[in-house]
Amino acid sequence: MQFKVDHKQYVKEGKEVRFSGEMQAKVRQLISRYPEGKQKSALLPLLHLAQEELGGYLSADVMDYIAGILGIQPVEVYEVATFYTQFSLEERGKFLIEICRTAPCAVCGGEKMSQFIQEKLGIRPGETTPDGLFTLREVECLGACGNAPVMQVNTGFHENLSVERISEIIDNIKSGSETANTGGTGKWAEELF
Ligand code: FES
């Protein structure tokens, strides 16, 4: 029997947590990639989708909703969501800037880049700008040490950074002219979805 996705039962405390019709179709398509009875394997792509589409972070209600869709226990979702740093469990800015602080990036100017971002946006790591646009995080190796210094903005990857390039990226985001690689689903995520 085919696994049936039910989106209707997840209205918690009068607040609806639900994917749009288009995203519900995407959810069905993602789950259908896996054999019957193995729908749990769709958990990671569903969490990415939920983070993108349901408020930019994974609240407890959103994680419960995903657990319900997959017919698994909420704690199984919490375990995964808290393990991967790609998932945020707290509200954050529309654009999450993650600047690498590990040694190869640090010796290539990573600290200076982080300092520059902090001064340009007026926030410290872990903070969000008052307009809700940017959250800054200093993170460990992003896996592109050969092209240090490196930062990630949402799913967009930026290597061989300079303060000029960072300034340009931030200004472009503010003006709305840089979205493809910074504002939402990057190439890897498109493949994932
Ligand atoms: S040390 Fe920065 S990407 Fe690896």
Side-chain angles (χ1 to χ4, degrees), residues 125-184:
E127 294 180 347
T128 299
T129 52
D131 60 5
L133 205 52
F134 297 99
T135 295
L136 175 63
R137 266 195 209 150
E138 287 184 331
V139 297
E140 302 305 334
C141 182
L142 289 166
C145 325
N147 294 322
V150 173
M151 76 173 183
Q152 191 165 338
V153 183
N154 289 359
T155 53
F157 217 64
H158 302 276
E159 301 165 79
N160 297 308
L161 288 171
S162 61
V163 290
E164 292 78 16
R165 177 60 188 139
I166 290 175
S167 185
E168 184 184 27
I169 291 166
I170 290 173
D171 289 344
N172 287 346
I173 290 172
K174 283 182 175 171
S175 70
S177 63
E178 183 143 351
T179 54
N181 230 13
T182 55

